Amino acid sequence: MIQASNIHKTYNDGKVKVHALRGIDVEIKEGEFTAIVGPSGSGKTTLLNIVGGLDTPTLGEVHISDTNIAQLSENELIDFRLNHIGFVFQSYNLIPVLTAKENVEFLMLLQKRDEEERNERTTKLLKAVGLEDQINKKPNEMSGGQQQRVAVARALASKPDFVLADEPTANLDSKSTANLLDIMLRLNEEENITFVFSTHDQRVIDRAKRVITVEDGKILSDETR
Amino acid sequence: MLLKLAWRNIFRNKRRSLITVSSIIFAVLFAVFMRSLQYGAYGNMLKNIVSSYMGYVQIHSKGFWEEKTLDNSFSLSEIEQLKKQEGISYLSPRIEGFALVSFSETSKPVAILGVDPALEKEHIKLDQKVVEGNYFSDTKKGLLIGKGVKEIMKLSIGDTLVFLGQGYQGSMASGAYPIVGVIDLKTPELNKRTVVMTLEQAQELFALPDRVTTAVVGLYHDDWQDAQQETVAAIDTNMLEVMNWQEMLPELRQLISIDRAGGTFVLLILYSIITFSLFGTVLMLTEERSFEYGVLIAIGMEKNKVIIVAVLETIIMAIAGVVAGLFVAFPFVLYFNINPINLSGQMQEVVERFGFEALIPTSLDPSIATTHAGIIFVIVLVVNIYTLQKIKNLNPIKAMRK
Ligand SMILES: Nc1ncnc2c1ncn2[C@@H]1O[C@H](COP(=O)(O)OP(=O)(O)O)[C@@H](O)[C@H]1O
Ligand SMILES: [Mg+2]
């Protein structure tokens, strides 16, 4: 479970202070398929970064899987992310010099998992995202949609508690978007993988099971369907 | 896995790696070539001293250098014990005197050098300086005259020269010897005034039996400082003086040290340029890649591991650059060793005044290459501290915001 309470985030961008988040309380449970929705600049990325332990709030507390992440050192936090959170970013997620298979395997190597488990899991995940025939391709040899699918597979490889995806479909055409959503939804339903993703694409919003709308750094609405 | 990442990163962006590696190659080439040239010049001058008449170290009777008279001479038995010294390979006795030399109508003052023919042949290859006639032999005692002497006095082989001068302890020096050969001492100055005869003849001419004015100390190594100390320790310094080439040729010493300081200065500038250009490269590369580093840290790769990858990349490229640099530098250095650079103008004049060839062959001393390759390797590593620092302080969110 992720619990974020009274989250404020202020950026000191030179002389101008930007209040990106102004008091957000949110709770995300295992198995959710949640969209964070809002116009550009509303604070979606900031919120995802904070609940994913990538950024620290100016005020407020974040507990991820019962850990108060404010209490972790920099290295502990990196390790915590490795073992508890899977990330999918908007683009250029993958390590350019590694093949699809190696990208998926990468986090498991960092986790020091044994070879057998790595191979088994990599194969399984690439199959789950429909890329079993692309395993030896480098990112620049794949389409944007394929790259995002590899990114999803990689995010799952470390067996995280949550997968956070910041506008994962922003750079995809509608077919690839639908395809990626299908895969995420199936993983959510069949494997009970928790997905939290931000978007402002109505077709993506329509498929979310819970929609949290933010505007001006505040939660405007939070509805579970 | 980290090594694999580093390795692939190098080959992924060939342009980037090529820039880095070639800047290292260029640095190595430049530093090694410059230094080889400089050490070559320096070494060549010194080698010239040894193969000229000076030698590195000489023994004289005390006061001879100040006042070059035959009265300031000494007996060879006084330095006999030196031959047992470890660093000393031989002692070459000489008589340096002056006399008026005449042939038919012309006469001219000359510097007379009495030498041991066998020793000078063996050690300074005096015989190879003969350009006409022959070197001394058992049957051919006589004179080797400088090329210039021959021209001025219009002499030819076989002519007999008559000598007149002052001998030992006020005696009269006179004698007549035939010319057996003409030598070229490479510099007009020396050629115009030098006449070489055997030591025995000189002793006879100057009535200086068993005595010499000079003994050149032959060394096994070029370590003349040690040899000078050894010599000083083994002889009676109340009677004799031991001088090294720097004392005998202070001007040459100055020339070399100015040249060396200049070389060090140029090298310092060169290394600053190298450092800045490498730093520029590193700066650019680090900026280019901070997004990538940001992703790695965001998804859970510890900074230390990212740093290891970066360091591995640097080390691999540094090794490649340094090795390639040495490979490129070698033919350059070799070429200019075989085809020495010819000095011209003022430098040439100064150098030739000391009796040396105005040629600079590059030095092939491998320690020059290894030293400067090593220095550049270290510079590359030091410059990369910037990257490490950058990764250490990297905020993945900022890096990924672009
Ligand atoms: N590192 C930062 N420095 C300064 N301002 C920032 C930074 N990150 C985000 N902001 C500002 O915070 C606000 C929220 O941004 P963001 O969370 O990226 O919104 P969204 O993802 O919904 O577009 C914006 O006004 C943005 O300009
Ligand atoms: Mg955003």
Side-chain angles (χ1 to χ4, degrees):
Chain A
M1 190 159 74
I2 298 175
Q3 285 172 298
S5 47
N6 193 28
I7 300 298
H8 289 255
K9 180 71 183 181
T10 310
Y11 290 110
N12 257 324
D13 199 7
K15 290 205 172 95
V16 194
K17 279 192 177 179
V18 181
H19 296 278
L21 299 179
R22 316 160 180 250
I24 288 206
D25 295 284
V26 72
E27 212 178 86
I28 292 160
K29 297 195 180 68
E30 272 85 26
E32 284 191 15
F33 197 74
T34 298
I36 295 176
V37 176
S40 182
S42 56
K44 304 183 295 294
T45 299
T46 307
L47 180 60
L48 273 175
N49 285 343
I50 286 173
V51 298
L54 264 175
D55 205 354
T56 49
T58 314
L59 192 73
E61 270 187 25
V62 181
H63 291 257
I64 306 173
S65 308
D66 294 328
T67 304
N68 180 355
I69 59 163
Q71 282 162 359
L72 300 177
S73 72
E74 190 189 21
N75 263 338
E76 284 170 343
L77 188 58
I78 293 175
D79 276 343
F80 185 85
R81 289 201 297 267
L82 173 64
N83 293 312
H84 296 270
I85 317 277
F87 290 95
V88 177
F89 304 108
Q90 197 171 321
S91 52
Y92 305 113
N93 273 289
L94 302 178
I95 301 165
V97 293
L98 300 184
T99 62
K101 175 177 181 289
E102 288 163 338
N103 261 289
V104 175
E105 211 184 345
F106 184 73
L107 294 182
M108 290 189 278
L109 276 163
L110 292 178
Q111 286 177 317
K112 302 195 167 64
R113 300 195 187 246
D114 63 43
E115 198 182 336
E116 200 185 336
E117 186 186 354
R118 290 198 318 258
N119 284 336
E120 194 182 314
R121 200 164 164 74
T122 304
T123 312
K124 187 186 140 203
L125 286 167
L126 281 169
K127 203 171 165 203
V129 297
L131 291 173
E132 58 269 46
D133 53 350
Q134 312 279 323
I135 56 170
N136 289 322
K137 289 221 171 125
K138 297 258 175 76
N140 62 3
E141 298 162 341
M142 291 186 281
S143 71
Q146 289 173 328
Q147 288 184 39
Q148 289 304 72
R149 275 141 67 190
V150 177
V152 169
R154 182 189 64 190
L156 290 172
S158 58
K159 294 193 176 164
D161 307 339
F162 304 90
V163 175
L164 306 186
D166 190 15
E167 307 211 28
T169 62
N171 292 333
L172 302 186
D173 58 33
S174 52
K175 197 166 158 245
S176 304
T177 299
N179 186 242
L180 190 69
L181 256 290
D182 288 344
I183 289 165
M184 285 165 60
L185 207 53
R186 200 183 62 238
L187 284 164
N188 171 258
E189 275 162 8
E190 290 173 8
E191 318 256 341
N192 201 34
I193 308 279
T194 316
F195 281 96
V196 182
F197 50 94
S198 68
T199 185
H200 51 243
D201 182 339
Q202 193 54 48
R203 289 162 303 180
V204 178
I205 299 169
D206 289 345
R207 302 184 63 173
K209 294 176 181 170
R210 177 184 173 190
V211 178
I212 300 170
T213 309
V214 283
E215 212 173 287
D216 286 335
K218 283 191 216 142
I219 292 181
L220 209 66
S221 70
D222 182 350
E223 59 178 289
T224 304
R225 294 158 178 173
Chain B
M1 176 198 51
L2 299 184
L3 187 65
K4 182 161 90 183
L5 260 183
W7 188 254
R8 290 207 193 157
N9 277 330
I10 291 169
F11 285 97
R12 166 173 146 235
N13 196 328
K14 297 198 180 68
R15 174 195 62 92
R16 209 161 57 189
S17 306
L18 224 62
I19 290 173
T20 314
V21 172
S22 41
S23 63
I24 300 170
I25 291 176
F26 185 73
V28 171
L29 173 67
F30 232 72
V32 169
F33 183 68
M34 236 208 63
R35 222 41 187 172
S36 294
L37 200 59
Q38 203 193 349
Y39 272 70
Y42 179 62
N44 198 45
M45 283 190 193
L46 279 180
K47 209 180 82 211
N48 271 309
I49 300 173
V50 189
S51 65
S52 81
Y53 304 102
M54 297 297 293
Y56 285 120
V57 177
Q58 289 188 357
I59 302 168
H60 317 118
S61 179
K62 204 166 187 122
F64 176 79
W65 200 253
E66 286 288 302
E67 195 192 349
K68 289 189 175 160
T69 74
L70 296 167
D71 292 348
N72 282 329
S73 57
F74 61 99
S75 162
L76 273 179
S77 60
E78 287 176 51
I79 57 168
E80 193 61 33
Q81 70 279 16
L82 267 178
K83 289 182 182 158
K84 293 196 206 82
Q85 293 294 319
E86 235 172 78
I88 294 168
S89 71
Y90 66 94
L91 292 169
S92 202
R94 292 175 184 173
I95 289 174
E96 291 173 55
F98 300 93
L100 197 68
V101 57
S102 321
F103 178 71
S104 70
E105 302 295 278
T106 52
S107 54
K108 180 188 185 325
V110 294
I112 291 170
L113 189 68
V115 299
D116 179 323
L119 277 176
E120 306 289 352
K121 181 180 173 177
E122 187 183 345
H123 298 295
I124 67 164
K125 311 235 170 349
L126 185 60
D127 58 320
Q128 290 176 8
K129 297 198 162 107
V130 174
V131 289
E132 202 187 323
N134 300 298
Y135 188 62
F136 302 117
S137 68
D138 291 344
T139 52
K140 281 207 167 127
K141 292 198 175 131
L143 306 171
L144 296 175
I145 60 169
K147 217 165 74 172
V149 176
K150 179 197 154 175
E151 276 156 25
I152 291 165
M153 297 184 69
K154 303 190 174 58
L155 303 169
S156 35
I157 306 284
D159 291 346
T160 298
L161 300 185
V162 176
F163 291 84
L164 205 64
Q166 196 172 32
Y168 185 44
Q169 290 175 336
S171 67
M172 174 87 147
S174 69
Y177 307 96
I179 300 169
V180 297
V182 177
I183 50 175
D184 181 2
L185 297 170
K186 301 281 186 229
T187 73
E189 291 283 303
L190 285 173
N191 279 336
K192 264 190 262 184
R193 55 159 215 251
T194 306
V195 171
V196 184
M197 58 176 70
T198 66
L199 195 65
E200 284 160 31
Q201 285 171 322
Q203 285 171 341
E204 182 190 288
L205 174 66
F206 292 117
L208 201 64
D210 297 328
R211 293 176 80 82
V212 298
T213 61
T214 305
V216 175
V217 180
L219 315 178
Y220 281 116
H221 315 291
D222 288 346
D223 194 350
W224 49 267
Q225 279 107 331
D226 272 8
Q228 186 180 17
Q229 279 173 10
E230 237 179 274
T231 308
V232 167
I235 61 172
D236 179 1
T237 49
N238 289 322
M239 304 285 296
L240 300 170
E241 65 188 16
V242 179
M243 293 178 81
N244 63 44
W245 65 274
Q246 294 190 339
E247 291 159 339
M248 295 184 286
L249 294 173
E251 282 177 78
L252 176 66
R253 184 210 169 157
Q254 226 170 7
L255 186 76
I256 288 175
S257 67
I258 289 169
D259 192 51
R260 264 182 148 183
T264 309
F265 183 68
V266 171
L267 203 69
L268 220 68
I269 292 176
L270 178 72
Y271 273 132
S272 313
I273 295 170
I274 289 171
T275 306
F276 279 113
S277 84
L278 286 175
F279 188 70
T281 312
V282 163
L283 208 76
M284 182 187 82
L285 297 190
T286 308
E287 283 317 310
E288 251 183 60
R289 299 188 59 187
S290 60
F291 182 92
E292 197 180 321
Y293 293 142
V295 172
L296 290 174
I297 294 162
I299 64 173
M301 187 172 187
E302 281 173 18
K303 286 183 173 179
N304 287 343
K305 288 188 176 144
V306 180
I307 286 174
I308 288 172
V309 174
V311 171
L312 283 173
E313 281 174 37
T314 305
I315 288 179
I316 292 170
M317 286 197 282
I319 289 173
V322 163
V323 170
L326 289 177
F327 268 102
V328 176
F330 182 70
F332 264 86
V333 173
L334 191 66
Y335 178 83
F336 286 104
N337 178 270
I338 297 165
N339 308 292
I341 292 170
N342 222 322
L343 287 181
S344 55
Q346 208 185 341
M347 252 327 241
Q348 180 180 12
E349 254 173 56
V350 175
V351 170
E352 284 189 341
R353 217 176 62 225
F354 291 109
F356 309 138
E357 306 160 281
L359 291 178
I360 305 182
T362 48
S363 165
L364 289 183
D365 186 348
S367 74
I368 295 172
T370 50
T371 307
H372 295 283
I375 291 173
I376 289 165
F377 189 76
V378 171
I379 290 179
V380 173
L381 295 191
V382 168
V383 162
N384 266 273
I385 290 175
Y386 172 81
T387 309
L388 311 192
Q389 210 53 39
K390 185 90 187 180
I391 293 173
K392 226 171 151 143
N393 297 325
L394 192 84
N395 178 339
I397 297 164
K398 281 201 182 124
M400 289 166 66
R401 257 174 75 90
K402 282 196 280 191

